Amino acid sequence: MVERADSGAGPAETAVVPGAWSRRRGRVIAGVAVLLGGVLAFHRGVPNWPGRVGSLIESFLPWVGLLVVVLLVVALVRRSAVALVALLLPVGVWVDTFGGLLLPGEEGDGRELVVVQHNVSDENRDPAGTARALIGSGADLVALEELVDPQVAVYEKSLAADYPHHVVRGTVGLWSKHPLSGEQVVDIKPPSIEEGWSRGVRAVVHSPYGDVAAYVAHLPSVRVGVGGFASQRRDESASLLGRAIADESVEAVVLLGDLNGVVEDRGLRPLTSQLSFAESGFAFSFPAAFPVARIDQVMARSATVGHIRTLPATGSDHLPVVAHVALE
């Protein structure tokens, strides 16, 4: 018996359409792009539970732009028109949100104070060198955090000639070229922290352009762990500081501090809701070895914070930031 060759009349095989897999991957890229655009545009809508995930996302929000660049490269390699069109959404939202920070700051009208904010680190082995670096900025005001003995005495001695007016309370201090008055502790201690913790000070700066209430603050640290983004103490401290500033009788206010949060972080809303912040400059300040976020902030009321930038590294794990504050 002669057997006939298989005529192919068996079960139908699935045909592979050329380019179908590439189109599918293009749709995946497009979906991720839309998701990133949604996160950028509506990050306030991301729930802050569990683990304060909303605040965690907001802490690194500018870096979503890097993910968009990666997707753009993949879309170009795949030659996916669908993905490229979808990427216009996150690109547009990112530019609208952060694009202004890439522009140079506008020239002031002369009614401005140059201010420096720096967490000098309680482990700084070269406080004198750090002080020299800050003097070189030519700032009118210098705000420092993590001032501990014996380093605080070094800062007081090193800065005295250029900044004859200063106040230190607890571990924070303010140095000024202009006279100060009304120096007082600002209580920003969360209830769960033991007594003796003091990280807030306020003084009135008698500048050539009028009085300015200057606040220096160091909010509690945050931690990222298996339980999520631990920021409760920081948020409580921000609320206390926000109340103090809201009650401030001097119209012009400048806040300088290590706030352990970026301005997009909802945990700082008690401050960002009533104070303006930098209009240009990313000035990522932490960690100094590879800065990924600006947690050292300059904010103001009845004043405009212009371009903000970082100074070269000192002996601290933070970079100093310098900004021009134009008074209204």
Side-chain angles (χ1 to χ4, degrees):
M1 180 183 292
V2 179
E3 296 182 357
R4 295 184 179 182
D6 187 354
S7 64
E13 295 182 1
T14 302
V16 178
V17 179
W21 181 237
S22 293
R23 286 196 296 272
R24 185 179 302 170
R25 282 184 287 192
R27 289 194 293 269
V28 171
I29 297 171
V32 175
V34 171
L35 176 62
L36 291 178
V39 170
L40 279 168
F42 305 108
H43 59 89
R44 294 290 185 199
V46 178
N48 217 17
W49 52 268
R52 282 181 162 77
V53 64
S55 284
L56 179 60
I57 291 174
E58 289 163 344
S59 296
F60 301 99
L61 207 57
W63 293 99
V64 172
L66 184 60
L67 298 178
V68 174
V69 171
V70 172
L71 289 179
L72 177 61
V73 172
V74 175
L76 289 172
V77 170
R78 298 296 179 190
R79 299 182 180 180
S80 171
V82 172
L84 289 173
V85 171
L87 280 166
L88 293 176
L89 173 62
V91 168
V93 178
W94 192 95
V95 170
D96 181 64
T97 305
F98 299 109
L101 296 177
L102 299 173
L103 301 175
E106 297 181 0
E107 294 292 331
D109 62 0
R111 288 175 47 84
E112 65 178 23
L113 297 174
V114 180
V115 301
V116 165
Q117 149 59 29
H118 191 27
N119 179 326
V120 293
S121 174
D122 54 8
E123 298 180 352
N124 193 324
R125 297 182 178 181
D126 185 20
T130 297
R132 288 193 297 271
L134 301 179
I135 291 171
S137 70
D140 296 280
L141 303 177
V142 174
L144 305 182
E145 298 84 44
E146 294 199 10
L147 294 171
V148 295
D149 292 327
Q151 291 97 321
V152 64
V154 177
Y155 290 113
E156 289 176 328
K157 179 179 179 180
S158 301
L159 296 171
D162 294 90
Y163 299 93
H165 313 282
H166 86 282
V167 55
V168 174
R169 295 290 187 274
T171 59
V172 299
L174 175 69
W175 277 257
S176 173
K177 289 185 176 181
H178 311 299
L180 301 176
S181 67
E183 301 93 334
Q184 63 186 66
V185 170
V186 180
D187 185 6
I188 58 172
K189 184 183 76 65
S192 60
I193 294 181
E194 64 277 1
E195 295 297 328
W197 189 95
S198 180
R199 292 188 180 183
V201 67
R202 173 259 193 200
V204 177
V205 180
H206 301 287
S207 83
Y209 319 113
D211 290 351
V212 180
Y215 285 74
V216 182
H218 184 188
L219 302 190
S221 299
V222 298
R223 295 288 185 270
V224 180
V226 294
F229 192 63
S231 64
Q232 180 176 347
R233 286 179 170 178
R234 191 277 313 270
D235 297 351
E236 292 172 347
S237 191
S239 293
L240 293 170
L241 180 57
R243 291 175 199 163
I245 292 175
D247 292 338
E248 175 59 57
S249 60
V250 177
E251 182 60 29
V253 173
V254 61
L255 167 63
L256 306 107
D258 173 3
L259 304 186
N260 273 303
V262 300
V263 294
E264 293 79 21
D265 188 334
R266 68 193 67 183
L268 297 187
R269 282 289 294 167
L271 302 171
T272 56
S273 62
Q274 59 177 317
L275 301 173
S276 62
F277 38 87
E279 297 179 339
S280 68
F282 279 98
F284 293 149
S285 63
F286 183 82
F290 186 76
V292 297
R294 184 177 80 239
I295 62 175
D296 296 275
Q297 306 292 353
V298 177
M299 301 182 185
R301 185 179 76 191
S302 295
T304 301
V305 182
H307 184 74
I308 190 168
R309 61 185 175 88
T310 57
L311 297 176
T314 65
S316 172
D317 55 345
H318 291 242
L319 295 178
V321 298
V322 58
H324 292 247
V325 179
L327 302 180
E328 296 179 355

